[in-house]
Structures are given as structure tokens and as C-alpha cells.
Amino acid sequence: MKKLLLFVFIVQLGLSAKATEGMWLPLLLSQLNEAEMQSLGMKMTAEDIYSVNQGSLKDAIVHFGGFCTGEVISSQGLVLTNHHCGYGQIQSHSSLENNYLQDGFWAGSQAEELPNPGLFVTFIVRIEDVTDAVLENVTEDMHPKERQSWVDKNLPGVEAAAELEAFQEAKVRAFFEGSKYYLFVTETYRDIRLVGAPPSSIGKFGADTDNWVWPRHTGDFSLFRIYAGPDNKPAEYSPDNKPFKPRHHLPISLDGISEDDFTLIFGFPGRTEQYLPAVAVEQRVEVVNPVRIGIRDRALNVINAAMKADPGVRIQYASKQSRIANAWKKWIGESQGILATGGIAKKQAYEAEFAQRVKADPDFQKRYGGLLPEFERLYTEMGPYIKANTAVGEIAGRNIELFTLANTLHSIVKMYDSSGAPMVDSRMGRIADFIDRFYKDYSPELDQQVFAELMAYYFEEVEPQYQAPFAVEQYVNAGKTGEQLAKIVFAKSRLPKPEALKAAMEQGPEAFVKLIREDYAYALVRSISEHNEQGAEQAYRKLKDEIDALQEQYMRAQIAVFPDRRFYPDANSTMRVTYGQVKGYAPKDAVRYEPVTYLDGVIQKYVPGDYEFDLPQKLIELYEAKDYGEYGSEGKMPVCFIGTNHTTGGNSGSPAIDAHGNLIGLNFDRAWEGTMSDLNYDPSICRNIMVDARYILFIIDKFAGAGHLIEEMDLVHPKAP
């Protein structure tokens, strides 16, 4: 019976879906998507995209650092990804003397390429359907906890049974809320070197103002190289390693794009939640996002002012500010997009039809009739808990660096308590490295200002019953002002002072742990976190577990109740293919956005001396001379373009591939109006933003003078007669 249900499930997947929507598993393209993709203009077959028997597109795609995507664009292991994906590495190599963030970096030879400890890329070797093995002994009517217990028992054996080379790994991931399971066999390379990056005035042009916005004019790219051992297999860093030779690398098209051209995005999208009920989306818009946005508003106001005032702080906080601002602006666009497109009302209409179909079928009514009312009850009950828990997470867990340091040190205290001083002593080298990295890019003065703002929010906006008594006592003693509390904490705490921690470490684990335990900031953040853990978070987690179990049932219910609807799995950082077309859009009345931007627009935005819109003089000179080489088009230099591909976080750095399998662009963002695509894809305004491959080549060749990198790429003209 189970196999029959799964067979029906797969058949249902292929029946209907809006073109361009969805994040599809590459091994299922031949069953589900190939014909539709070809109807949109694709000239390839599914085997060209994903094959285990011969080199295919998937062999050029890498999971970059576990958080972005990259693609191999030469036979010598050259990897292209976004500037913002390589930002941390570029920053780590930067100083006031060699400011690669500001000035860019271009290795003149392979000997000059810079190693990046801790950075890795992962290839997918093959994907296998292991649903039957994982769900062995699982039945349809089994309680969710019993079901999960069997899955947990079966998973290790399934992974252990995978046929692997010594340097390969296997991992099983769940799809459709646990209705399907696939095994991914991977190869990971850990010697990754920085090859090239444009200055931030190109790679981050527009910075926060243009982030998530179209029209866009950002050259968001960087170059790395994979190095391997003498056998071309993964190896730890060694100066004797050689450039990796891939099974496949992407040729680069010089022919550019036109509206309605086919586009394929290949990558590792992080997380989407397409199948949430309307009440969950409504809670996101009305409760969760306002808390997140309000807290980060305060943090960013402080950080942005400090970065504008001090070039040193700008280098220190460039990556941190980008991380904080990226999510902040995304949440704003997500809420606005859902409201603008009536996303909640559409889900409510969908649920009304679901309820009508369920009511008309006695079996459905028995199994699924209570799902939607139960969602309503659980989300309503969870409202105050999720609001408080979200606020504490943003304040105590993410945006006050002193607290994030204290939280990390808390893990050392727990290690000491559970395993003793010898275990801590064995980790002292790693701890010292972490502390050095933390203080390298830390400004106590700036963090104190952020602390003052966010703790004021904590006491003004979080409901009193969710405020920690110890924290309230300290706030009262400080005259009930965040600024005064910040002064006291940063004066009394030893954590903002690296020399204090290092001195304690030199005395041994006991002295180090004693310093942490007795620290004022540590005591304050632990009181806030523990009060939240025992109150709002505990209540939230209990309800969330019930909601997750209900969501599993709702996913299976939707598939059963809507047999004519095509469902695709939510993103979960596994390899996916999305496809669409180059298209403009009209976000509001009397406004129409064209699908391509040009260097003319970069010059129009140019503001000398402005940290977001300044430009290198050489780029201006190339524009004035119209010196675009073979990369220009009809006297203009294309910069970015948009398409209808369904993307999300993790697709940063994904290749935009044309109908023939050539690189035409580099995915790096979404249009602000459509950032709600994680919850509700709407083809009218959901657009992904890509750097035109020709602009990338132009910057490498004409701007940077790194023609030796162009020479190792394959440049093609697929549109030529």
C-alpha cells in the first residue's frame, strides 16, 4: 500500500504547476519537467543537466562554503560566485595597507592566489531515492512520534549502505515533510584560494540602498580556485596541490540575452515554506517580521553611522552590517509583497476549496477535517510566545556582539562542567583562534551603543512577564535607561577586553572558566536567555512541535485532496533546478521595469565619495571611451538582468544558464516586491536578479587587466548562425 501511495504521489507531481514556479530535484527532471522546459525554449535534455554516467551541468555546480552556490568555469578549477559570498574571505585578507575590499584583488598568477582556511566547496556526485528504505515499518496511520522514531532508526543504516569512495560522504535528506527521502553522495574540497574580486564600488555598488531592488547595477562576483591533491582528489591545503580538473565546466556565452530567453538556475536554495496555512503567513506578517525589523532598525542606525564616520570601522563591520541589513530589508519586502499581492487572501481561498473538497469526501473528512481549525488554534495560542522569543533571539542571540561572545563562552562552561578541565585544555588552541578572530573585527565602543539601543527595546517592548528579573533589577539600578545600563555593563565586564581573556587562558582552564562565570555581561545574558528558555521559548517549542506534526499531515492531505495539482519540495539547501525566462515586470500602476540594465545606469547613480555609489576612475574612463571590447552590445555595456526563476537564499552565486547550457549570468538577489516568494511565489512580481556574464568578463579583462583569467575560459557564441 505504501509503495502504491508513493507511486501515485510521483505521478501527481507531474500533472500541473505554473511555469517558472518551483525548485525541482535534478534527477526527476526527465519525469516531471523536461517537456515544459523545452516548451520555454530549452535546447538541452534532462540528461545534459543531470547525469551520473557522464559529465553534465551538475558536475560544474558547487555548494560554496555551505551557504552559497558557485560554478566551475574553466578546466583549471576556476570557480565563480558572488562578491557577497566571498566577502568574508576578501575581508579576512584586507587591512588598511592592503584594502582588498576597497581596491579589489587580482592574483597575477596561480602562485599569488590566497588560501582560505575553513572554506570548502562540495560537489554532488549522485542523488538516489531511498524512500522505501527510510520508511520501512512506517504506516500511513502511525503517530508522528512513532513514525519519526522508525525513520531515525532506519537512517543510519541507509547512509552506511551507500556505495562510496574513501573521499566521499553520504547524507539522507527529507522532502515534502518526510513523505520522500533522497540520499546525496558528495565530494568536498577544502583547498580553496581567492583569485580575484572587484572593488566594493563595483562588487557592492548600491550597497544597502539598492539591496533587494531593481533596477540594479551591481557587479556582484568574485573568483576562487579549487586545488586538489596529485590524484585530483580532495586534499587539505598544501603548496604542492594542483588546480582541480572538473568533469564539466561551464562555457560562457558572449551573445547575451533578450526578453523571453530561457534561463536555468542551478544551485542550493536554503529554505522556503510554500505550504504553510494562511494563519501562519498572517502571523509572519503581523507579528514576527515587525519585531525583527524593529530591532534591526535600531542596530543598523548605530552601525551605519559608525561605518560612515570611520574607515577602520567600515572594514571591521562590512561583513556584519551586510548580514544584518540583508535579512532586515528582505523581511520588509516579504511583508509588503504578501500584502500587495493578496497572498494571505489567496491562501485563504485555497484553504476554502481544500475544506470544501474534504467535506465532500467522508474519508477525507475523517482524516483531514480538523487540520485547518487546529492550525488556527495553535497559531493563535503561540502568538505572544513567538513574539517574545523572537525579540530575545534578536537581542540576546544575534545583534549584540558582547552577548554572542558570552553565548559562545557559555558552551565552554558547559564543556567544563560535563567533561572537566582536561577537555577544555585540549580545546584551548581552537578557543584562542576564535577569540583572535572575534576581536579582530570588534569595536567595544560601537557594540556599547548597539547594546544601549537594543536593551531599551527589551524593556520597552517585550511584555513584562517575559523579562528576566535579574535584568530588570539591573535596568532599574541604571535609572531605567539603556544608555546607562550599557555604560555599567561595558565598564564592569571583562569580556570586551581581549587581554583579560587571554591572561585567564594562560592561567589554565579553571581560571578561564572562573572568569567567564563571574563576568557581569555573562550573568546578564544568561539571565535573559534562561528566563526566555524556561518561559516563552519552552511554550513556543511545545506548540511548534504540535504544528510541525500537523504540517506533515497537511502536506500529505494537500497531495491527496488536490490530485490535479503539481507539488514541488520546499528548499532545504539541497541541489535544485529552477527555470524561467528573462522578463520585465510592472510592480505598480504606470510603472514598468525593463529586464536589462546598462553601464549608463551605473554612471547615472554615481556619487563621488559616497560609500554606496562612488566609482573607480578607471571604470568611468572605460565608459567615456566606450571601451567595452567584445563584451559590449550595440555600443552599450549590459550590467544586470532579471528573470522569473524561483530562487531564495543559498541561490546566491548560482549560474544563470542559457538554453544550450552556457553561462549567461550570475544570480545574486531578488527584486524587493517579490521577496515573499519563500512563502508565496507570484509570477507577476517575483524576479531573480543576475549579473550579466559579459559585465563580469568586461570587469576582469578591461577593468582589472586580468586577461590571463579570460584565457582559461571557454567563450562561445551559441546564437551565431
Side-chain angles (χ1 to χ4, degrees):
M1 181 64 182
K2 178 182 67 179
K3 290 183 178 180
L4 177 61
L5 286 173
L6 291 174
F7 172 76
V8 172
F9 171 76
I10 287 295
V11 172
Q12 288 168 351
L13 282 177
L15 293 179
S16 66
K18 290 174 284 188
T20 77
E21 181 182 0
M23 299 177 176
W24 305 94
L25 283 162
L27 82 162
L28 298 178
L29 293 178
S30 59
Q31 295 171 251
L32 306 179
N33 311 96
E34 184 179 60
E36 182 177 72
M37 296 167 78
Q38 290 173 344
S39 75
L40 293 173
M42 186 180 79
K43 306 302 181 185
M44 298 178 287
T45 66
E47 183 79 3
D48 295 326
I49 297 170
Y50 174 89
S51 175
V52 295
N53 299 315
Q54 61 187 27
S56 59
L57 291 184
K58 67 112 170 134
D59 297 307
I61 314 302
V62 297
H63 204 179
F64 185 87
F67 52 85
C68 278
T69 302
E71 50 277 355
V72 185
I73 58 170
S74 86
S75 62
Q76 299 177 54
L78 192 63
V79 170
L80 177 67
T81 190
N82 286 152
H83 185 268
H84 75 260
C85 293
Y87 208 75
Q89 284 70 39
I90 302 165
Q91 180 193 39
S92 69
H93 293 296
S94 294
S95 63
L96 287 174
E97 293 75 27
N98 293 299
N99 193 339
Y100 299 139
L101 282 177
Q102 176 180 295
D103 304 325
F105 169 79
W106 305 96
S109 66
Q110 291 179 1
E112 295 178 8
E113 295 171 359
L114 303 177
N116 300 279
L119 182 62
F120 61 89
V121 301
T122 299
F123 289 90
I124 302 298
V125 179
R126 66 181 186 274
I127 308 171
E128 299 176 4
D129 186 341
V130 292
T131 303
D132 286 350
V134 174
L135 295 183
E136 187 174 0
N137 298 314
V138 172
T139 60
E140 182 72 17
D141 58 351
M142 190 173 279
H143 188 277
K145 287 188 177 179
E146 186 182 1
R147 174 190 175 91
Q148 190 58 49
S149 177
W150 274 112
V151 169
D152 292 341
K153 289 177 185 177
N154 294 335
L155 272 174
V158 174
E159 292 176 347
E163 295 183 7
L164 304 175
E165 300 288 345
F167 50 87
Q168 295 175 338
E169 296 178 315
K171 183 69 176 177
V172 174
R173 300 298 298 272
F175 296 80
F176 294 107
E177 309 291 348
S179 294
K180 294 286 291 181
Y181 289 86
Y182 290 93
L183 180 139
F184 293 78
V185 176
T186 62
E187 293 177 2
T188 298
Y189 289 77
R190 301 186 183 279
D191 185 354
I192 313 299
R193 306 183 196 179
L194 177 63
V195 175
S200 291
S201 52
I202 292 174
K204 205 171 184 291
F205 183 78
D208 298 326
T209 298
D210 277 5
N211 189 26
W212 301 107
V213 169
W214 184 258
R216 197 67 173 275
H217 300 87
T218 311
D220 192 349
F221 78 94
S222 58
L223 293 166
F224 291 78
R225 194 183 304 278
I226 306 169
Y227 280 77
D231 55 359
N232 205 43
K233 299 297 189 292
E236 295 298 323
Y237 170 80
S238 168
D240 297 327
N241 285 345
K242 304 297 182 185
F244 169 70
K245 300 196 177 304
R247 292 184 71 195
H248 182 75
H249 66 275
L250 299 180
I252 304 176
S253 171
L254 288 173
D255 288 347
I257 50 90
S258 303
E259 188 150 18
D260 294 327
D261 276 0
F262 175 83
T263 54
L264 182 148
I265 301 293
F266 217 144
F268 296 84
R271 187 164 186 256
T272 58
E273 300 170 282
Q274 295 293 320
Y275 304 107
L276 292 176
V279 64
V281 178
E282 187 174 26
Q283 186 177 85
R284 186 76 58 88
V285 172
E286 295 185 359
V287 179
V288 177
N289 282 354
V291 171
R292 293 163 160 174
I293 293 163
I295 290 171
R296 295 201 179 195
D297 269 337
R298 296 191 180 206
L300 287 168
N301 286 341
V302 173
I303 295 171
N304 291 343
M307 289 176 66
K308 287 182 179 180
D310 187 330
V313 171
R314 189 180 305 169
I315 292 175
Q316 280 185 309
Y317 278 77
S319 184
K320 298 176 192 176
Q321 189 275 349
S322 180
R323 173 184 56 79
I324 295 168
N326 192 56
W328 164 80
K329 196 167 185 178
K330 188 261 186 183
W331 292 327
I332 295 172
E334 177 180 87
S335 294
Q336 291 181 353
I338 288 171
L339 295 174
T341 59
I344 296 170
K346 288 177 183 176
K347 280 191 173 286
Q348 289 169 338
Y350 171 79
E351 288 167 11
E353 183 180 355
F354 173 87
Q356 185 178 10
R357 293 192 181 198
V358 167
K359 188 176 180 180
D361 186 309
D363 184 48
F364 284 169
Q365 180 64 29
K366 180 181 177 181
R367 294 160 62 191
Y368 309 134
L371 288 178
L372 294 176
E374 186 66 359
F375 272 133
E376 190 73 35
R377 180 188 73 81
L378 290 170
Y379 276 104
T380 300
E381 188 176 340
M382 190 169 68
Y385 303 129
I386 197 172
K387 183 177 181 180
N389 190 58
T390 300
V392 172
E394 286 290 313
I395 293 167
R398 297 182 186 91
N399 294 296
I400 297 174
E401 292 178 276
L402 180 62
F403 281 174
T404 59
L405 173 61
N407 290 332
T408 302
L409 296 178
H410 179 59
S411 66
I412 297 168
V413 173
K414 291 195 296 184
M415 184 192 304
Y416 181 89
D417 290 341
S418 63
S419 305
M423 178 61 76
V424 175
D425 194 46
S426 69
R427 305 292 177 90
M428 278 300 196
R430 295 184 191 176
I431 296 168
D433 289 343
F434 162 75
I435 289 172
D436 286 341
R437 291 196 304 273
F438 176 84
Y439 288 111
K440 174 180 178 289
D441 294 318
Y442 180 60
S443 167
E445 297 78 16
L446 173 54
D447 195 31
Q448 181 175 323
Q449 295 176 55
V450 174
F451 180 102
E453 286 291 327
L454 299 198
M455 289 306 295
Y457 183 102
Y458 178 76
F459 293 110
E460 293 166 5
E461 301 294 337
V462 175
E463 292 295 325
Q465 66 267 36
Y466 303 123
Q467 295 175 10
F470 177 77
V472 173
E473 181 182 334
Q474 307 314 302
Y475 185 60
V476 171
N477 292 341
K480 292 189 176 182
T481 72
E483 184 177 359
Q484 186 60 28
L485 179 61
K487 287 181 181 178
I488 294 170
V489 170
F490 276 76
K492 292 176 68 173
S493 175
R494 302 178 73 184
L495 300 188
K497 308 169 183 66
E499 63 277 5
L501 265 69
K502 291 180 179 179
M505 290 178 67
E506 290 174 1
Q507 296 175 44
E510 293 86 353
F512 184 50
V513 171
K514 183 174 184 292
L515 179 147
I516 299 169
R517 285 193 202 276
E518 296 177 353
D519 189 82
Y520 186 44
Y522 175 79
L524 181 61
V525 73
R526 290 313 309 154
S527 74
I528 294 171
S529 297
E530 288 171 6
H531 185 78
N532 184 65
E533 288 163 7
Q534 295 161 12
E537 183 178 0
Q538 186 177 73
Y540 162 74
R541 292 294 174 195
K542 181 179 181 297
L543 291 166
K544 183 67 164 58
D545 287 344
E546 293 183 54
I547 287 171
D548 288 346
L550 203 65
Q551 189 71 38
E552 289 183 20
Q553 297 177 51
Y554 184 47
M555 188 72 249
R556 291 195 292 273
Q558 291 177 81
I559 293 166
V561 172
F562 292 102
D564 55 345
R565 176 184 168 94
R566 180 168 60 172
F567 295 89
Y568 52 88
D570 270 320
N572 60 357
S573 294
T574 56
M575 177 175 271
R576 304 295 180 89
V577 169
T578 77
Y579 51 91
Q581 293 174 299
V582 177
K583 276 192 184 297
Y585 71 110
K588 51 191 173 183
D589 184 44
V591 175
R592 155 76 185 179
Y593 286 141
E594 295 301 315
V596 183
T597 60
Y598 296 91
L599 191 55
D600 306 60
V602 177
I603 301 301
Q604 290 165 9
K605 290 181 176 179
Y606 170 46
V607 180
D610 184 271
Y611 88 101
E612 293 186 305
F613 295 104
D614 201 1
L615 287 173
Q617 182 59 34
K618 185 170 182 180
L619 184 64
I620 297 171
E621 292 170 357
L622 288 168
Y623 171 77
E624 291 175 343
K626 299 294 183 285
D627 185 6
Y628 305 142
E630 61 181 323
Y631 314 116
S633 175
E634 299 180 351
K636 302 177 76 173
M637 185 67 245
V639 174
C640 296
F641 64 97
I642 52 175
T644 60
N645 301 80
H646 192 173
T647 61
T648 188
N651 276 125
S652 290
S654 287
I657 297 171
D658 70 5
H660 306 274
N662 305 304
L663 185 77
I664 51 173
L666 183 63
N667 189 80
F668 71 97
D669 207 352
R670 283 175 285 170
W672 201 24
E673 296 88 352
T675 54
M676 49 75 175
S677 62
D678 289 349
L679 305 175
N680 183 49
Y681 178 89
D682 189 311
S684 68
I685 61 171
C686 289
R687 295 291 182 272
N688 63 307
I689 305 177
M690 298 155 277
V691 190
D692 196 300
R694 292 168 295 175
Y695 189 58
I696 294 171
L697 297 174
F698 163 74
I699 294 298
I700 294 171
D701 189 358
K702 305 297 290 187
F703 174 81
H708 60 286
L709 297 175
I710 303 292
E711 290 174 5
E712 65 179 272
M713 304 174 193
D714 295 338
L715 307 185
V716 298
H717 289 278
K719 292 184 177 181

